[in-house]
C-alpha cells in the first residue's frame, strides 16, 4: 500500500509540473518533500570581446526540505586559461508561501534568496551571480499552470560584491540590478497519460532581462528550449540563448545549453 501511494503521488507530481521545469528560470513550485534533484548544466557561449568560446559547468543538488521549502547548492566551473577551474559556488533557498489548486490548474507564489561567491575576474557590466559575480539576489516568482500550459514570471533584486581575494568590483560599473523573467512551457507529448514510463516532451521559451539600477543599462535575451523527461525521473534539456537587445558590456551573450537532471524521490521513509 505504501509503495502504491508513492507511485500515485509521483505520477500526479509529474503530470502537474512537467511543463514548468524551466531551464534558466525557477518556477514557484518546488521539488517534492524529502526528494533530491541532481543537476548538471553545461553551457558553451561565443566570446564577444575575445575570440573563442566560454564553457561553464554547473553541478547542483536540490533538496525538498518540506513541500514549501526547497534548498539548493551549486558549484561554478569554467575553462579559464584553457583548463577547467572551479571558481565558486552558490546557496539558494525558496519558500512557497501561496498555493491555489483546481482540478486542471494551479497557481503558486514563492520567495527566494541566493548568495554566491566567485574568485574569477570581473569582465562585464552584466551582473550574474550564477557563475560570474560574488553577491546576493532576492526575489518573488509566480507560476500559473493551466492544463498543459505553464506561465512563470520573476522579479528580483541582485547585488554584486568584490570577487575576493583578487578582484574588486569596478567603480565604473553599477553594482546592483533589477532582474525580470517571463517563461512559457507547454507539454507536447504525450497527449494522454497512461504510464509513468511515458517520455514527456515539453517546448518552452524563456525571456530573461536585467536593468542596472544606477545607470539604466539593460539587456533582454530569449531562450527556446526542448525538454525530454524519461521514466518520470530523468530529464534532458537542449536550448539556445540569443540576445535580443543590450546597452551594456557582456562578454558572451549567445550560446547553447545542455542540461541533465535526475530526481531521487522519497529519501526518508
Amino acid at each position: 500500500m505504501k509503495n502504491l501511494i508513492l507511485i500515485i503521488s509521483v505520477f500526479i507530481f509529474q503530470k502537474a509540473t512537467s511543463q514548468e521545469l524551466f531551464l534558466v528560470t525557477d518556477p514557484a513550485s518546488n521539488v517534492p518533500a524529502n526528494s533530491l534533484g541532481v543537476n548538471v548544466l553545461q553551457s558553451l557561449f561565443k566570446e564577444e570581446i575575445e575570440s573563442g568560446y566560454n564553457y561553464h559547468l554547473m553541478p547542483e543538488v536540490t533538496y525538498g526540505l518540506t513541500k514549501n521549502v526547497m534548498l539548493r547548492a551549486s558549484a561554478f566551473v569554467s575553462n579559464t586559461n584553457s583548463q577547467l577551474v572551479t571558481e565558486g559556488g552558490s546557496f539558494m533557498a525558496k519558500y512557497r508561501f501561496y498555493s491555489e489548486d483546481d482540478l486542471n490548474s494551479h497557481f503558486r507564489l514563492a520567495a527566494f534568496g541566493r548568495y554566491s561567491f566567485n574568485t574569477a575576474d570581473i569582465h562585464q557590466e552584466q551582473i550574474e551571480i550564477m557563475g560570474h559575480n560574488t553577491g546576493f539576489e532576492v526575489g518573488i516568482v509566480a507560476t500559473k499552470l493551466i492544463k498543459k500550459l505553464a506561465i512563470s514570471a520573476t522579479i528580483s533584486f541582485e547585488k554584486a560584491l568584490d570577487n575576493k581575494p583578487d578582484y574588486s568590483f569596478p567603480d565604473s560599473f553599477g553594482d546592483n540590478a533589477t532582474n525580470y523573467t517571463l517563461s512559457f512551457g507547454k507539454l507536447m507529448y504525450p497527449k494522454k497519460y497512461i504510464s509513468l514510463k511515458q517520455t514527456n516532451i515539453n517546448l518552452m521559451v524563456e525571456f530573461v532581462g536585467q536593468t542596472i539600477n544606477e545607470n539604466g543599462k539593460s539587456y533582454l535575451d530569449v531562450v527556446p528550449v526542448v525538454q525530454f523527461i524519461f521514466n518520470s525521473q530523468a530529464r534532458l534539456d537542449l536550448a539556445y540563448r540569443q540576445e535580443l537587445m543590450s546597452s551594456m558590456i557582456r562578454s558572451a551573450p549567445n550560446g547553447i545549453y545542455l542540461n541533465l537532471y535526475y530526481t531521487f524521490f522519497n529519501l526518508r521513509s
Side-chain angles (χ1 to χ4, degrees), residues 3-260:
N3 290 336
L4 178 60
I5 293 174
L6 173 61
I7 291 173
I8 293 173
S9 299
V10 171
F11 183 76
I12 293 173
F13 168 77
Q14 178 62 32
K15 182 177 179 180
T17 63
S18 59
Q19 60 267 45
E20 59 180 84
L21 298 171
F22 296 110
L23 175 61
V24 295
T25 64
D26 243 341
S29 299
N30 293 334
V31 298
N34 305 322
S35 297
L36 182 72
V38 179
N39 189 61
V40 179
L41 175 63
Q42 299 178 80
S43 63
L44 187 67
F45 281 45
K46 188 179 186 304
E47 292 280 0
E48 293 289 308
I49 301 173
E50 302 176 356
S51 61
Y53 290 86
N54 188 333
Y55 172 77
H56 279 259
L57 174 67
M58 190 182 302
E60 293 182 336
V61 290
T62 305
Y63 182 68
L65 189 63
T66 69
K67 68 176 183 178
N68 293 323
V69 179
M70 187 184 84
L71 305 175
R72 174 176 295 154
S74 310
F76 308 136
V77 181
S78 77
N79 62 335
T80 302
N81 298 322
S82 300
Q83 59 182 338
L84 291 180
V85 176
T86 301
E87 297 176 333
S90 177
F91 301 96
M92 188 265 274
K94 184 171 64 175
Y95 173 61
R96 188 183 71 189
F97 60 86
Y98 180 81
S99 297
E100 181 182 288
D101 295 287
D102 293 318
L103 182 62
N104 293 311
S105 68
H106 68 232
F107 179 68
R108 307 271 192 262
L109 286 171
F112 67 91
R114 176 184 289 113
Y115 175 79
S116 299
F117 58 95
N118 203 302
T119 61
D121 64 300
I122 301 171
H123 49 266
Q124 63 177 10
E125 291 181 289
Q126 176 191 350
I127 298 174
E128 179 54 89
I129 66 171
M130 292 301 291
H132 292 280
N133 296 101
T134 296
F136 65 87
E137 181 183 13
V138 291
I140 298 289
V141 54
T143 302
K144 177 68 175 180
L145 177 69
I146 309 170
K147 295 184 178 179
K148 295 183 178 182
L149 175 67
I151 305 171
S152 190
T154 303
I155 187 166
S156 68
F157 172 83
E158 190 172 20
K159 169 77 172 179
L161 305 172
D162 295 339
N163 282 9
K164 296 181 178 179
D166 298 323
Y167 301 102
S168 298
F169 193 85
D171 293 333
S172 58
F173 291 177
D175 67 358
N176 65 88
T178 299
N179 299 321
Y180 32 87
T181 72
L182 181 62
S183 302
F184 301 89
K186 186 172 183 181
L187 177 66
M188 307 303 295
Y189 179 86
K191 299 298 182 182
K192 183 178 179 180
Y193 278 93
I194 58 174
S195 170
L196 283 171
K197 295 184 177 181
Q198 284 178 289
T199 297
N200 286 13
I201 301 177
N202 299 310
L203 294 182
M204 303 177 181
V205 60
E206 302 186 65
F207 296 92
V208 183
Q210 179 180 92
T211 298
I212 303 296
N213 296 323
E214 296 174 43
N215 55 33
K217 292 184 178 182
S218 301
Y219 79 82
L220 180 65
D221 294 346
V222 62
V223 188
V225 185
V226 58
Q227 180 182 88
F228 302 89
I229 299 176
F230 308 100
N231 293 324
S232 298
Q233 283 187 289
R235 171 180 148 201
L236 170 66
D237 303 310
L238 298 170
Y240 179 76
R241 185 163 180 160
Q242 175 65 48
E243 180 181 85
L244 295 177
M245 59 80 63
S246 178
S247 58
M248 65 174 70
I249 298 172
R250 305 176 72 196
S251 60
N254 304 316
I256 60 174
Y257 291 106
L258 171 63
N259 185 53
L260 302 173

